[in-house]
């Protein structure tokens, strides 16, 4: 009788353990499915946004996104007096790290005139290098990179006879690069831009 009772108790224990495992498995699947269905409103750029651009509700739209492990990586609330820190394409989810207080922005805009034609791939929002050739004797010295990364904010092409078909670009650069760019222009160096790619 004792042996039979022990076998019955052991069978009951195994049954309960098996039942607990099944319940735990079902609960785990339910949790995964519920997590996948949980969405958060995330800000999306409504138009192309450039570095240094103040951002408000008119610049964004909100979409429901299942962020999962990316929770906290994207903008879920729009801070006041905020500025974009890097180019964002229209329709792109806005990373939380791409928005800072306007007072902390380190970029500004400068205007240059390109000595040569600008590549057709260079558009507003493009990331570009700025190259220069210093004046030497009656010509120019070897070309060199002046600014490794700038963002095109505007392009204006002059077609009049006096302008010679020059292209003027408004560039967004770090403030600590402004002096070098102004010095190059003051010295009559030849300037032009080379595309690094589109909005990124």
């Amino acid at each position: 009788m004792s042996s039979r009772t022990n076998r019955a108790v052991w069978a009951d224990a195994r049954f309960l353990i098996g039942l607990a495992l099944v319940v735990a498995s079902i609960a785990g699947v339910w949790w995964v499915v519920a997590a996948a269905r949980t969405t958060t409103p995330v800000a999306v750029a409504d138009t192309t946004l450039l570095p240094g651009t103040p951002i408000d509700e008119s610049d964004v739209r909100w979409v429901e996104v299942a962020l999962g492990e990316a929770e906290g990586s994207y903008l879920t609330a729009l801070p006041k007096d905020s500025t974009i820190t890097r180019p964002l394409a229209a329709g792109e989810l806005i990373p939380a790290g791409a928005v800072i207080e306007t007072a902390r922005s380190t970029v500004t805009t400068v205007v240059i005139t390109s000595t040569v034609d600008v590549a057709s791939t260079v558009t507003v929002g493009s990331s570009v290098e700025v190259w220069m050739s210093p004046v030497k004797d009656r010509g120019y010295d070897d070309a060199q990179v002046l600014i490794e990364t700038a963002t095109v904010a505007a392009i204006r092409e002059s077609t009049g006879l006096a302008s010679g078909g020059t292209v003027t670009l408004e560039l967004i650069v770090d403030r600590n690069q402004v002096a070098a760019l102004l010095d190059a222009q003051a010295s009559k160096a030849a300037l032009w831009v080379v595309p690094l790619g589109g909005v990124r």
Side-chain angles (χ1 to χ4, degrees):
M1 290 289 294
S2 176
S3 177
R4 187 178 303 168
T5 300
N6 289 337
R7 285 199 300 271
V9 171
W10 175 241
D12 289 343
R14 285 191 298 177
F15 171 76
L16 292 175
I17 292 171
L19 182 61
L21 291 174
V22 171
V23 171
S25 177
I26 293 173
V29 171
W30 177 87
W31 183 85
V32 169
V33 172
R37 291 178 176 174
T38 300
T39 60
T40 304
V42 175
V44 174
D46 202 32
T47 60
T48 298
L49 300 176
L50 303 177
T53 303
I55 182 173
D56 58 32
E57 289 289 348
S58 65
D59 301 308
V60 303
R61 54 189 172 85
W62 298 91
V63 297
E64 293 289 332
V65 179
L67 292 176
E69 295 182 358
E71 187 77 35
S73 298
Y74 293 95
L75 198 67
T76 56
L78 193 61
K80 293 182 179 179
D81 299 322
S82 299
T83 296
I84 295 297
T85 62
R86 68 172 183 81
L88 296 171
E92 184 177 349
L93 294 178
I94 301 178
V99 178
I100 62 171
E101 295 177 1
T102 300
R104 295 172 54 203
S105 178
T106 61
V107 299
T108 189
T109 57
V110 294
V111 175
I112 70 167
T113 298
S114 178
T115 308
V116 299
D117 288 340
V118 176
S120 61
T121 55
V122 174
T123 59
V124 172
S126 292
S127 295
V128 296
E129 286 179 333
V130 179
W131 285 69
M132 67 168 286
S133 289
V135 173
K136 183 178 182 180
D137 300 328
R138 294 186 178 181
Y140 293 98
D141 204 349
D142 293 339
Q144 56 188 279
V145 176
L146 180 62
I147 297 177
E148 292 184 352
T149 304
T151 303
V152 178
I155 302 175
R156 295 185 290 275
E157 185 171 358
S158 301
T159 56
L161 293 176
S163 69
T166 59
V167 179
T168 300
L169 301 102
E170 185 175 336
L171 302 178
I172 300 169
V173 299
D174 287 336
R175 291 183 184 277
N176 59 12
Q177 298 171 323
V178 173
L181 193 50
L182 294 180
D183 287 344
Q185 293 185 89
S187 67
K188 306 298 183 182
L191 296 171
W192 66 95
V193 297
V194 175
L196 291 175
V199 171
R200 59 177 185 174

